Amino acid sequence: MKRALAAAGLTAAAVVVPLMTAAPAQASAADCRNYLASRGYVVGPKVTAACAQTGLTGYQACVQRLLNIDVRSEHALIACNKR
């Protein structure tokens, strides 16, 4: 019984872990831009550059750039989570 439970746990982990790690990769800079456009912001070069931020500090850089161009903080946080 213990072996069966261990095998079931490993199988579940093998399915769940890739799904959890793949989810953020499905978001894109286009999702970020589209969200801001849906909120009435003009999506020009500054928004495009902010939404394109990547790397370890990409989220923070995205938020900061959007705040610098007067995007409301709640919109910046949501938009940058979508990139």
Side-chain angles (χ1 to χ4, degrees):
M1 184 66 169
K2 288 182 182 179
R3 287 184 191 173
L5 289 175
L10 287 174
T11 302
V15 171
V16 172
V17 171
L19 291 175
M20 290 175 54
T21 58
Q26 294 175 6
S28 72
D31 293 330
C32 175
R33 293 189 308 268
N34 291 338
Y35 172 77
L36 291 170
S38 76
R39 294 290 176 228
Y41 295 98
V42 174
V43 178
K46 291 180 181 180
V47 167
T48 299
C51 289
Q53 296 300 299
T54 60
L56 295 176
T57 60
Y59 174 79
Q60 290 135 344
C62 174
V63 170
Q64 189 58 55
R65 283 181 174 217
L66 292 176
L67 293 176
N68 289 346
I69 56 173
D70 296 325
V71 171
R72 290 176 52 182
S73 62
E74 61 269 20
H75 294 156
L77 296 171
I78 292 169
C80 292
N81 267 326
K82 294 182 176 288
R83 57 157 198 86

